[in-house]
Amino acid sequence: VSSHPPSVNRYRISIYGRERSEWDSLAEWIVDHALYSNNNRWVIQVPRLYGMYHAKGMLPNFKAFLENLFVPLFEVSVNPESHPE
């Protein structure tokens, strides 16, 4: 038996806020590749790309951007079965 504590991995990944389905896609990818563990910590970063998305017509306004980022998190907090992954 090792006397060393288990190491903790810190993964950094981006959520872009273009679509609400990004969280579902990320969760599916993590489950499919078995990247979940009590020793993993996730740093979720949101790149400052809203201006470019808005200019290119990918997002109509900042409200849509924020909803894409946070509504899925609120939904799964209230009802975990709404997003099974």
Side-chain angles (χ1 to χ4, degrees):
V1 176
S2 176
S3 63
H4 299 288
S7 63
V8 175
N9 301 310
R10 286 185 178 86
Y11 296 116
R12 181 178 304 265
I13 197 153
S14 296
I15 291 287
Y16 295 93
R18 289 179 297 210
E19 301 173 354
R20 286 191 187 184
S21 63
E22 288 180 47
W23 284 108
D24 290 326
S25 298
L26 175 60
E28 184 178 338
W29 181 77
I30 289 171
V31 169
D32 288 350
H33 292 75
L35 296 174
Y36 48 88
S37 168
N38 289 335
N39 296 332
N40 291 346
R41 300 295 177 256
W42 294 90
V43 176
I44 306 296
Q45 59 189 18
V46 180
R48 295 183 286 179
L49 297 174
Y50 166 74
M52 181 188 72
Y53 296 151
H54 182 67
K56 291 186 175 195
M58 297 168 74
L59 286 168
N61 52 45
F62 195 66
K63 178 185 178 210
F65 175 72
L66 291 176
E67 286 177 347
N68 290 345
L69 290 174
F70 294 108
V71 167
L73 297 177
F74 296 145
E75 288 173 350
V76 78
S77 295
V78 172
N79 179 14
E81 296 303 316
S82 66
H83 300 271
E85 298 287 354

